[in-house]
Amino acid sequence: MSEPFAPSLYTPQRRLTRVVQVGDVAVGGNNPIRVQSMTTTDTLDTAACVEQVAELVEAGCEIVRITAPSLKEAENLANIGAELKRRGLRVPLVADIHFTPRAALVAVEHVDKIRINPGNFADKKKFEIREYDDLQYAEEVERAAERFRPLVRRCRELGRSMRIGTNHGSLADRIMNRYGDTPHGMVESALEFLDVCEDEGFHDVVFSMKASNPRVAIQAYRMLAARLAARSRESSGENGFAAPGYPFHVGVTEAGDAEDGRVKSAIGIGALLEDGLGDTIRVSLTEHPAREIPVAIALARRCEARWEQEPCRVDEATLFVDDPYATQRRHTRSLGASDWKIGGSAPVRVELDLGALPADPEACAREIAEAQRRFPLLVCEGLGVEAYDESDRSSLQALRGALASEGLRFPLALRAETRSVMDFLGMCERFVVPVGRLIDDAGMLEIAREAAARSCPLEWELRGDNDEIPSLLDRALEASSSAGLEDFLFSVDALLPVHAVRLLCARLRVRGAADAPLVLRYRKPAACSDPHALLAASVDLGAALCDGIGDAVVLSGFEKACVALDLGYRILQGARLRSTRTEFISCPSCGRTLFDLEETTARIKARTDHLVGVKIAIMGCIVNGPGEMADADFGYVGSGPGSVNLFVGKECVERHVPAAEADERLIDVIRSHGAWQEPG
Ligand code: SF4
């Protein structure tokens, strides 16, 4: 695809969008990113719904969605709206529709917006494999359009808006058979429905392209942005991003709960917001919906602040990766000693950076060793320290000794800003040299020569404004080439790291050094809390990782080594690069949910969270669960009150298992498919 996916690839810049009104709340344009969520209560229980809407509004939620699985629930939206009004609660309501066009036509009378899923609005999910010739395919599209048109007309008459909300895993059979369950299929599915809206002169449309895998979600939203821009360019002849496009509702679906749910959400939502894609967001957690709101607000405000930054004056004609619509790890050469390799086919490493050399090296080594003992999978794969002058020599020796006496073996990365500590090169496995205003070209050349002579890999850390990245890189490449240094790699220390890393990658391609490994660094500011740092690091590191960029992640500024290591591995798991724990895909629940999802998820987690690499889905209902549990290995899906269906992949292997037996039977299924291990 030749279209870019964002107005600028090298500076955070909001995509221009038209304003779509959702009741009193305006979405898109220059309005703030709107934060929304969904109730988990039974839609027929008016009091419970109103209570939960009130909790959401209190938490800062600006738009609330409520499921309307059938006509009864659609009708009850009128009572919910009336009761909210009576209590003086003004918040726009959205009806969530799957499989029931008739319910949509009732709901539209009572709410401000309708969400439809093009995959199941007019199609029953049969997972049928059949070939469609062009004529049959066109007939299917027309059949879906005929069912959809009355709703579009009614929305236009009543001044309601609509979300065309495509989900990975719940595409119509015709789309699946032609495009597969792919970002491309998701986009085609949405555009078929947009064609109907535009034919009817209806433009109050918002799009979403959700998936539980952040990488799939990112690709689908990007592809949609590019396709919409291309349509706009074809009709106006102008740059497709110059005319306001349809707003995006951004989210990662079935993200799960706790840290993993937050990390996955921050990676997907954050990466898209960095590109200016997103006018309203929902963080889907398997928790009380009010707990989604602070996460969403933190992500929204952080990104809005980035959109306010002075735009980067440097642009690159070259793309930063081969294909931004597909994930392929950037091809890099491998550096370092045999078991400490960085780049190439080595997994993305997780390292800590201590900053200044520790005053108490024994205590430092003990803490890392203790973290390794408690969490053996969270291996510290490298340690960074800084040295300033000759007086640091003994501290460095003491640290090496302390690490050795705790049995810790990993490479030391030594950052030095002056030439005076160059002979420390023999005491580390990687030298990190900040390239900025402090060091001149002669100093860089001298260090590069020394590193080449000692065969010590050298990390050039480009430190400056994003505008300066290309010139800093040129200086580092010049020094490396003049010194005959081949073992060099790069990192950036910039205010807008996602875009700085991209600029670096693009420039490396231009300079013929595209295979240089890259280190992604996240430094937690002193005033930043751990929960906030979790979101920030997930955005800054995860956005690049989802583009296949990064051979190591390095975290610094955390009080505890285990917290930093844990976060590093969670981010790699969220970006689907390294699996060090069980992957849980659980829906946020809604009015369709047939059991207490939060409690059930916690129970299943407690039994299975030692199954490294196994993906387990816990889904609230049989209507959407099987489709949306994506690429889970095993599924636990509510099939009726007090009963559960168990899945292996997409295949249902046990039906209507009594809930009381379902945990045990799930474990039996996992065991019989060879994926079970005894805990411990
Ligand atoms: S899978 Fe979960 S969130 Fe989705 S419709 Fe079913 S119960 Fe609701």
Side-chain angles (χ1 to χ4, degrees):
M1 189 180 289
S2 57
E3 293 292 328
F5 57 82
S8 168
L9 302 184
Y10 298 106
T11 202
Q13 189 182 322
R14 187 173 189 177
R15 174 175 165 261
L16 200 60
T17 54
R18 63 169 70 228
V19 175
V20 169
Q21 208 61 40
V22 185
D24 293 341
V25 173
V27 172
N30 288 324
N31 292 291
I33 299 168
R34 302 298 186 183
V35 167
Q36 58 174 292
S37 183
M38 184 168 184
T39 54
T40 58
T41 39
D42 180 350
T43 309
L44 294 177
D45 186 340
T46 307
C49 284
V50 168
E51 204 45 53
Q52 199 170 71
V53 172
E55 288 174 291
L56 283 166
V57 172
E58 170 76 21
C61 180
E62 298 171 279
I63 299 169
V64 178
R65 185 158 43 114
I66 303 178
T67 189
S70 74
L71 290 177
K72 280 185 305 187
E73 286 87 353
E75 278 156 8
N76 201 47
L77 291 169
N79 297 327
I80 294 170
E83 183 58 17
L84 287 169
K85 199 165 172 193
R86 196 188 65 72
R87 286 180 54 169
L89 279 165
R90 284 172 70 90
V91 63
L93 294 185
V94 183
D96 196 56
I97 304 291
H98 297 268
F99 298 104
T100 47
R102 283 172 60 223
L105 282 170
V106 173
V108 72
E109 305 294 323
H110 311 304
V111 294
D112 302 286
K113 182 177 163 198
I114 295 279
R115 179 269 168 121
I116 59 106
N117 179 342
N120 61 29
F121 184 79
D123 297 270
K124 295 279 172 263
K125 194 95 194 88
K126 298 195 194 110
F127 298 107
E128 262 182 14
I129 311 242
R130 63 168 271 211
E131 287 299 317
Y132 293 83
D133 63 30
D134 288 349
L135 183 62
Q136 289 167 326
Y137 194 91
E139 282 169 0
E140 277 291 294
V141 173
E142 188 45 37
R143 184 185 59 78
E146 276 312 305
R147 298 200 77 187
F148 181 47
R149 210 164 264 128
L151 177 64
V152 176
R153 288 183 181 151
R154 195 63 186 142
C155 282
R156 197 190 55 210
E157 284 160 12
L158 294 172
R160 310 292 197 241
S161 49
M162 178 185 290
R163 166 155 68 103
I164 299 178
T166 308
N167 277 17
H168 187 228
S170 69
L171 301 178
D173 286 337
R174 73 172 174 287
I175 295 276
M176 293 280 267
N177 293 339
R178 184 159 285 198
Y179 304 99
D181 193 8
T182 59
H184 186 182
M186 293 165 71
V187 171
E188 293 299 334
S189 173
L191 292 179
E192 286 178 3
F193 277 64
L194 177 65
D195 287 342
V196 179
C197 294
E198 291 189 336
D199 276 356
E200 294 294 329
F202 177 68
H203 300 283
D204 290 329
V205 172
V206 175
F207 283 103
S208 67
M209 297 271 125
K210 296 192 189 180
S212 65
N213 179 340
R215 283 158 55 155
V216 173
I218 292 168
Q219 288 160 16
Y221 279 102
R222 282 181 176 178
M223 214 175 260
L224 179 66
R227 285 291 296 278
L228 291 173
R231 281 165 74 119
S232 169
R233 180 175 46 73
E234 279 157 20
S235 63
S236 70
E238 307 254 326
N239 167 1
F241 286 102
Y246 294 101
F248 284 180
H249 161 133
V250 166
V252 171
T253 191
E254 282 92 36
D257 64 353
E259 287 94 338
D260 283 337
R262 285 161 177 76
V263 166
K264 268 197 244 176
S265 300
I267 291 175
I269 296 172
L272 289 160
L273 293 181
E274 287 279 339
D275 279 321
L277 309 183
D279 303 280
T280 172
I281 61 175
R282 192 240 169 143
V283 171
S284 302
L285 298 178
T286 309
E287 297 178 18
H288 188 289
R291 295 178 63 184
E292 298 173 354
I293 306 303
V295 181
I297 290 175
L299 290 172
R301 301 296 95 87
R302 183 174 191 271
C303 200
E304 283 165 352
R306 290 194 168 182
W307 291 344
E308 296 291 309
Q309 296 287 324
E310 194 66 25
C312 178
R313 290 181 300 275
V314 180
D315 208 351
E316 279 289 351
T318 311
L319 265 180
F320 52 99
V321 285
D322 287 337
D323 182 0
Y325 304 103
T327 314
Q328 231 178 344
R329 196 167 153 203
R330 200 173 147 262
H331 172 75
T332 56
R333 62 178 185 276
S334 153
L335 305 182
S338 57
D339 52 346
W340 293 339
K341 288 217 172 296
I342 192 164
S345 58
V348 180
R349 304 179 67 87
V350 178
E351 301 186 3
L352 297 178
D353 189 343
L354 298 178
L357 278 156
D360 185 345
E362 282 81 19
C364 169
R366 261 198 315 276
E367 195 210 322
I368 297 172
E370 174 59 17
Q372 304 286 242
R373 270 191 291 277
R374 286 180 55 206
F375 308 103
L377 289 174
L378 308 183
V379 181
C380 177
E381 297 177 317
L383 192 66
V385 286
E386 285 172 6
Y388 299 97
D389 53 37
E390 183 56 31
S391 66
D392 286 325
R393 182 185 298 274
S394 55
S395 306
L396 188 54
Q397 281 164 340
L399 178 63
R400 288 202 79 107
L403 294 171
S405 61
E406 288 290 345
L408 293 168
R409 270 191 82 249
F410 42 62
L412 275 189
L414 183 72
R415 181 187 285 106
E417 302 205 359
T418 65
R419 280 176 264 173
S420 62
V421 291
M422 252 185 347
D423 66 330
F424 287 18
L425 273 172
M427 297 165 69
C428 65
E429 283 71 34
R430 187 164 93 232
F431 211 44
V432 183
V433 178
V435 184
R437 293 173 196 126
L438 284 178
I439 191 159
D440 60 13
D441 291 348
M444 288 169 63
L445 180 58
E446 205 178 325
I447 292 173
R449 281 198 181 121
E450 190 69 23
R454 292 175 183 264
S455 302
C456 179
L458 197 158
E459 176 185 331
W460 297 112
E461 186 186 59
L462 310 183
R463 194 180 273 187
D465 294 341
N466 282 30
D467 288 343
E468 296 172 293
I469 297 296
S471 59
L472 295 173
L473 172 67
D474 288 348
R475 287 176 60 199
L477 285 174
E478 196 55 46
S480 305
S481 146
S482 302
L485 174 70
E486 289 183 356
D487 284 358
F488 58 86
L489 58 165
F490 292 95
S491 59
V492 296
D493 180 355
L495 191 60
L496 302 168
V498 174
H499 292 83
V501 165
R502 281 188 188 170
L503 269 172
L504 169 59
C505 288
R507 190 72 178 177
L508 281 168
R509 287 159 74 94
V510 173
R511 293 292 314 266
D515 64 349
L518 294 189
V519 173
L520 303 175
R521 293 180 169 274
Y522 173 76
R523 183 177 302 126
K524 174 177 169 291
C528 182
S529 65
D530 280 356
H532 201 87
L534 177 137
L535 299 179
S538 300
V539 178
D540 288 355
L541 303 177
L545 291 168
C546 284
D547 274 322
I549 298 171
D551 299 287
V553 295
V554 183
L555 295 114
S556 55
F558 289 80
E559 217 170 295
K560 289 189 184 307
C562 58
V563 173
L565 289 171
D566 181 60
L567 177 55
Y569 280 100
R570 279 187 204 279
I571 293 172
L572 291 186
Q573 176 123 4
R576 300 281 177 107
L577 283 161
R578 279 183 82 171
S579 195
T580 44
R581 58 191 81 221
T582 320
E583 174 95 22
F584 291 99
I585 297 155
S586 54
C587 78
S589 90
C590 71
R592 290 179 188 265
T593 312
L594 295 163
F595 50 81
D596 183 330
L597 209 85
E598 203 175 340
E599 187 204 297
T600 306
T601 304
R603 225 178 40 239
I604 293 175
K605 264 187 162 184
R607 301 286 304 274
T608 60
D609 68 357
H610 60 289
L611 301 176
V612 174
V614 178
K615 299 194 205 88
I616 299 176
I618 303 139
M619 309 294 284
C621 76
I622 199 72
V623 182
N624 280 339
E628 297 191 2
M629 63 194 192
D631 54 355
D633 301 314
F634 301 98
Y636 177 112
V637 182
S639 55
S643 78
V644 169
N645 283 9
L646 299 177
F647 286 74
V648 175
K650 294 263 183 238
E651 188 193 347
C652 181
V653 292
E654 295 206 28
R655 287 176 201 280
H656 305 301
V657 178
E661 297 168 23
D663 296 9
E664 214 51 57
R665 299 264 284 272
L666 173 69
I667 289 165
D668 288 344
V669 168
I670 297 174
R671 189 178 277 120
S672 66
H673 285 78
W676 180 256
Q677 286 175 0
E678 290 308 322

